[in-house]
Structure formats: C-alpha cells, structure tokens
Amino acid sequence: MTMLDQSAAWRSRREQAFAAEAPHSLGALLERAARDYGDTTAIDLFERGTSLSFSQWDDKSRRLASGLRDLGIERGMHVGVLLQNVVEFPVTWLALARMGAVMVPMNPRYTSTELNYVITDAEIRHLVIGFESVEKIDEVRRLWPQTDLDTVMVVGDGELPEDYTGWNGVLESGSPDFVPSHRVEPSDLASIQYTSGTTGFPKGCMQSHRFWLVCGFNQHVMPEVFTTGSILGESPFFYLDALLMTARSLFQGATLLQAERMSLHKHHGRLVDTQCECAFAPVLSDEPGPEEREHSIKMFICVAGSPQENAEIERRYGAPVRELFGMTEIGIALGVPYHIDDPAIIGTCGVPYPLYEAKVMDAAGQTCPNETPGELWIRGPGIMEGYWNKPEVNARSFSDGWFRTGDIFTRTTAGYFRYVGRFKDMIKRSGENISAVEVETVMRQFRQIEEIAVIPVKHRVRGEEVKAFITLDPKVSVATFDYAALHAHCTEHLASFKIPRYIEIIEAFDHTPSAKIKKNDLIASNSLKGDWDYTTNARVEVEVT
C-alpha cells in the first residue's frame, strides 16, 4: 500500500470518527472537556502567571454567558473582542459560543479608523476590550458618532470610565446554571474573523461551530500529523493559529502554553522553559549549542518552510519538522504526516486532512496535470461559510462548494500538494514566472537579514525585474552588510533568473493589522535610485525608468 493509499484510509476512518464523536457546538465541547479533564490546565499564560483549568473555563463561561444575556446580548448578535492574550479572551469566546452569539476578534493594534471599519462592517453593538483600548474606543465614538455601541465591557481592575461596564462585574452577576434559550447548531456562526487581502480593508471570514469542531478534531485524532501533549502558542488569540490551538485543547485535554506575544528572540527559551511537546519550528542561530537539545519537543510544525532549513532544524534539535497549510478561510487543510514512508513528501504540504478535499485548477476551471502549477481549491465542512456582507467576493471565491484559495500549488506525481506562491505575488521576468514567496524564503535564511519583501519593478525589455526590500539584523549595520555574500547565498539556492537584481535596505516595514507587510505601498512608492544593483555591483545613481 502506497503512502497515498494509507492517507486515504486514515482519512476515511477519521471522517467516520468525527461523525460519531464530535459534539454539536463549542459549548457542548467545553462541557465535555470539563467533565473529562476537570482540573487539568487548559490554558497557561505562563508569562503572565495566570492559567485556566477546563473546569474553571466551563464555569466562568457559563456565568459570563448568563451575565451577557442579562445585558441584552442574544443569539446571533455580533460582539467585538479587543483583547490581548489574557484568559478573559477564551472565556469570552466560549461564553458567546455557548449562547449562540458571534465573536468578532479584533487586533488591539488597530487604529481608530480600522476599528470603526470592523465595528461598522460586522454590525457590532457590544464590545469587550482591555483598559489599553479605552482611548481608541473613545476616539471612535468621537469621530464617528453614528457608530452605535450599546455596551462596552472592560477587562481588568481599575477605575471604569463613564459609560463603560466592568467585565468582572458581568461575570460575577451571572449564574453557573446557564442554559441557552435555543440549541446551538453546528451551522451557527461562532466567529467572524477578519483577514487582510492584498488591497483594501480586511474581509470577515464567517466561521461556524462546525468550522472550529473540524479544526480541533483533526488535530486531536491525527497523531500522524499532530503529536499529543502540550503545545506552545505564540500568536495572538485574535489570529487563527491561537484559536486553532484552543480548539485542539478542548478536544484533546492537552495544555495550551500561550505566550504573551510573538518573539523570535524568546522562542528557544520558551521551548526550554515550558518543556512543550509541539511548537512552530525555530529560527536557527548562527552556531549550534548544547541547549538546542534541552527540550521535550516531539514535533515542530511549519508553514512555507525551506526543506534545507527544516532538515538542519531536525539535525540540530533532534525532532521532526512537518509542513502544514492553512488559512483563516479554511483552517488547516493540508499536512505532512508524522510518520513518513515516502521521502518525496518532504518539501510539500502533504495531503488533505480528514473532511477536506483538494485539487489544483487552471484558469479555465479544469484540473491541472500533475506537476503543473495552478490554483489550489479546497472543499469540505472545515471551510468558512463565506465572507461577511461580501456577496460579490463570495461569488468569485467559491465554485460549486469549492473555495478558491488564490494560492499557487502543484500536485506531484505521488499525489502530494506543493506550495508555489500567491497568484498576486508573482513576478514575470523575461517570460519566467517567479514566486516572491520562494525568493523571500531563501533570502530569509541569510543571517544578516531580519525581514524581507520581494516585489516586481517594471523593465522595458524584460517586462519586470525583481527587487528585494530588506531590514537588517540588529547586529548588522548598513556599512557592514555583505552584498556579495547575499548574492552567493541566492546563487546557491535559486535559479539565476529568480535572483533579485535590486536591493534596498530600509529601517522598518509597515504592516497590515494582521502583521503582513504592505507590499502594495512598497510598489506604489518604489524608487530605484540608491538601490544596490547586482548587474553593476554598484548603487543606482539616477532613477531608472
């Protein structure tokens, strides 16, 4: 039996298990977790010194749901949650899910303009915020008086501003015997999560209870892909990754060790300090050290990782690295199994998870031959219900139940799915298609680079040339940056036509609220004057047109 046959067999078994074992809602899932795992720590915010057991989570979410209902929040209402990584976030999410209301997570780094957009677009009337966001909400109310908010609850201790409600008071006023007025169904919305595109404001992904149940179940029942045991979370709760890990904990009874915020510099120390069993793959230091084996990791996970760097991580850390592919719209849809019988799967995103189907399609809507790039389409109960209030976008994004990811993949002859890049993140140089993601992945491995963005620049002969914007590692200055070494590194890992011609060093990038570099701004304001030009090995002295 081939690895692909084995994959189909375990997918079939697990799809049957989901139908038999999955509860009907997140609230029912939490109730079962509290019964089965009790005082086991569900979420440990180890850097804040706070934690939440499954029993505490269940009790607090019931009390909060009761208190929220007394405030007038009902089934189907949209409630904005503007919190950092605090235990009140998952308590609020499951309280809303339990009563059939919908959480709209928002980034505390949003500007007042971005907050007003989401509040308005998602039709939010109630908010849960931290004290650090009070001034921004005051500004929203002042600048957009038509933004009508019924209730703004504030998490934390302190003097409440006028017209604000204390979250703790709502919790304490509630009953532990809360029962929803109507049964919450798998198809009911649990969250609307906003994700940024390449242009314009973010779009709200409508994620049902079934969406999260599929996500959590797949991570729970697939030891071939996700190891059992504690997992280190470093992304914010308002992003997909942390909520995926939260759903996993509810199914598995394993602890989510949640960091306060993402930090490349703290990542290794967290692996050692927490002794977690699963985490995202680390960024390698220049020199290996004995501390790289002082961990309990059973498996690292990664997204769009370099096969060469992943192999080096495995060698130095002594733990396997496995590739995943997911999106806010689809959860995690593809993965490389933990046990590998076919080495050809390395360097790919593996095979579809249970309850997902995948195919690679051309522009005419026909299935691409193996090894031919096309757009990845995904179908199954684990994808979103659509974009909130965006019928025209939904019409473009879905075809007969298939979600069009906008990502370029190939399906290998062995049946594995390999990530190539984004359709809107491609450069065409002298007739050759170049994935910006591929170039960025290679250049990111160069030790002197901190962050990178690759864009196309117009060229009258070649159509487009390749340019890379980079920020430097804090230990490197502009004067000491080694352009020759970077070019040698690129030559080693990239075909010659993919190597950027132009390099511009900048101090910092502007990012979207979801932490993506604003490439469109770089393209719009780009100037080549002063850039390093590898064709001349000198700086561009006059603007190129």
Side-chain angles (χ1 to χ4, degrees), residues 218-234:
N218 274 344
Q219 296 172 74
H220 162 56
V221 300
M222 293 176 64
E224 296 93 342
V225 177
F226 252 85
T227 181
T228 57
S230 59
I231 186 168
L232 176 64
E234 296 181 283

Side-chain angles (χ1 to χ4, degrees), residues 438-510:
E438 179 186 6
V439 178
E440 289 163 354
T441 300
V442 168
M443 295 184 69
R444 198 175 291 117
Q445 298 167 35
F446 188 69
R447 303 300 183 197
Q448 295 184 340
I449 291 177
E450 179 79 11
E451 200 170 13
I452 181 167
V454 170
I455 68 165
V457 293
K458 291 182 180 179
H459 191 275
R460 65 178 183 275
V461 177
R462 292 178 175 164
E464 291 178 336
E465 271 286 1
V466 186
K467 173 174 176 174
F469 289 87
I470 61 174
T471 59
L472 301 182
D473 182 277
K475 300 186 293 292
V476 180
S477 68
V478 175
T480 60
F481 183 76
D482 194 338
Y483 287 98
L486 172 61
H487 194 267
H489 171 79
C490 291
T491 301
E492 181 180 355
H493 298 288
L494 291 171
S496 59
F497 67 87
K498 298 179 182 179
I499 298 173
R501 174 176 175 177
Y502 301 108
I503 304 290
E504 180 176 348
I505 299 174
I506 60 176
E507 291 186 1
F509 287 101
D510 289 328

Side-chain angles (χ1 to χ4, degrees), residues 231-284:
I231 186 168
L232 176 64
E234 296 181 283
S235 65
F237 276 128
F238 49 82
Y239 285 162
L240 176 74
D241 290 350
L243 296 184
L244 283 172
M245 293 175 181
T246 303
R248 170 190 185 267
S249 293
L250 287 170
F251 263 101
Q252 198 173 70
T255 302
L256 169 59
L257 298 155
Q258 184 64 47
E260 190 167 351
R261 62 178 59 88
M262 204 174 296
S263 172
L264 294 177
H265 300 296
K266 292 182 179 180
H267 182 70
H268 176 76
R270 288 168 174 168
L271 297 180
V272 176
D273 293 343
T274 65
Q275 290 296 296
C276 59
E277 297 181 9
C278 186
F280 276 96
V283 175
L284 291 173

Side-chain angles (χ1 to χ4, degrees), residues 1 16 42 65 91 111 117 126 194 198 243 249 321 365 438 468 492:
M1 181 182 289
Q16 294 172 18
V91 170
T111 64
Y117 168 77
H126 305 272
Y194 278 74
T198 53
L243 296 184
S249 293
V321 181
E438 179 186 6
E492 181 180 355

Side-chain angles (χ1 to χ4, degrees), residues 114-425:
E114 291 162 330
L115 285 173
N116 181 64
Y117 168 77
V118 175
I119 291 169
T120 303
D121 187 69
E123 301 175 13
I124 292 171
R125 300 291 297 273
H126 305 272
L127 285 175
V128 176
I129 71 172
F131 267 100
E132 67 278 356
S133 298
V134 168
E135 289 187 9
K136 288 183 180 178
I137 297 305
D138 284 341
E139 188 173 13
V140 169
R141 285 171 151 171
R142 185 176 68 254
L143 296 177
W144 295 276
Q146 70 276 16
T147 300
D148 191 9
L149 294 170
D150 292 340
T151 312
V152 181
M153 289 160 276
V154 183
V155 168
D157 299 321
E159 185 176 351
L160 284 172
E162 188 178 355
D163 295 332
Y164 287 80
T165 301
W167 185 93
N168 285 333
V170 178
L171 174 70
E172 292 167 2
S173 70
S175 167
D177 300 320
F178 171 84
V179 176
S181 57
H182 297 84
R183 173 185 161 99
V184 178
E185 300 296 339
S187 58
D188 289 344
L189 285 187
S191 52
I192 300 177
Q193 200 164 22
Y194 278 74
T195 180
S196 61
T198 53
T199 60
F201 282 101
K203 301 184 293 293
C205 300
M206 297 189 291
Q207 299 157 330
S208 67
H209 284 254
R210 185 185 292 110
F211 174 99
W212 292 111
L213 292 171
V214 169
C215 290
F217 177 83
N218 274 344
Q219 296 172 74
H220 162 56
V221 300
M222 293 176 64
E224 296 93 342
V225 177
F226 252 85
T227 181
T228 57
S230 59
I231 186 168
L232 176 64
E234 296 181 283
S235 65
F237 276 128
F238 49 82
Y239 285 162
L240 176 74
D241 290 350
L243 296 184
L244 283 172
M245 293 175 181
T246 303
R248 170 190 185 267
S249 293
L250 287 170
F251 263 101
Q252 198 173 70
T255 302
L256 169 59
L257 298 155
Q258 184 64 47
E260 190 167 351
R261 62 178 59 88
M262 204 174 296
S263 172
L264 294 177
H265 300 296
K266 292 182 179 180
H267 182 70
H268 176 76
R270 288 168 174 168
L271 297 180
V272 176
D273 293 343
T274 65
Q275 290 296 296
C276 59
E277 297 181 9
C278 186
F280 276 96
V283 175
L284 291 173
S285 59
D286 291 334
E287 297 294 333
E291 70 279 1
E292 290 180 347
R293 294 298 181 104
E294 297 174 359
H295 61 76
S296 298
I297 291 291
K298 293 181 180 177
M299 184 178 72
F300 287 115
I301 54 178
C302 73
V303 177
S306 158
Q308 296 83 4
E309 186 163 349
N310 289 347
E312 181 67 4
I313 291 171
E314 291 188 354
R315 186 186 71 81
R316 284 168 54 170
Y317 279 78
V321 181
R322 296 294 179 261
E323 189 94 7
L324 305 173
F325 174 78
M327 299 171 65
T328 308
E329 291 87 342
I330 63 174
I332 302 175
L334 304 172
V336 174
Y338 180 81
H339 298 291
I340 291 176
D341 299 321
D342 182 2
I345 200 171
I346 297 297
T348 76
C349 294
V351 294
Y353 269 28
L355 300 145
Y356 287 96
E357 299 175 79
K359 60 184 180 180
V360 179
M361 306 294 283
D362 63 20
Q366 301 298 313
T367 303
C368 291
N370 288 341
E371 309 294 350
T372 302
E375 184 180 16
L376 179 70
W377 290 20
I378 297 289
R379 184 169 68 178
I383 65 172
M384 68 171 183
E385 304 298 309
Y387 295 110
W388 171 258
N389 206 23
K390 297 287 187 292
E392 71 289 349
V393 180
N394 290 331
R396 296 195 301 268
S397 301
F398 288 88
S399 178
D400 192 25
W402 291 87
F403 176 70
R404 305 179 60 173
T405 67
D407 285 295
I408 305 173
F409 270 73
T410 59
R411 188 178 188 274
T412 71
T413 53
Y416 311 133
F417 290 84
R418 177 177 286 116
Y419 180 70
V420 177
R422 289 285 296 172
F423 271 111
K424 293 184 178 180
D425 212 7

Side-chain angles (χ1 to χ4, degrees), residues 82 106-111 114 136 238-239 511-513 515:
L82 188 65
M106 293 185 286
N107 189 335
R109 295 174 60 190
Y110 275 177
T111 64
E114 291 162 330
K136 288 183 180 178
F238 49 82
Y239 285 162
H511 296 81
T512 68

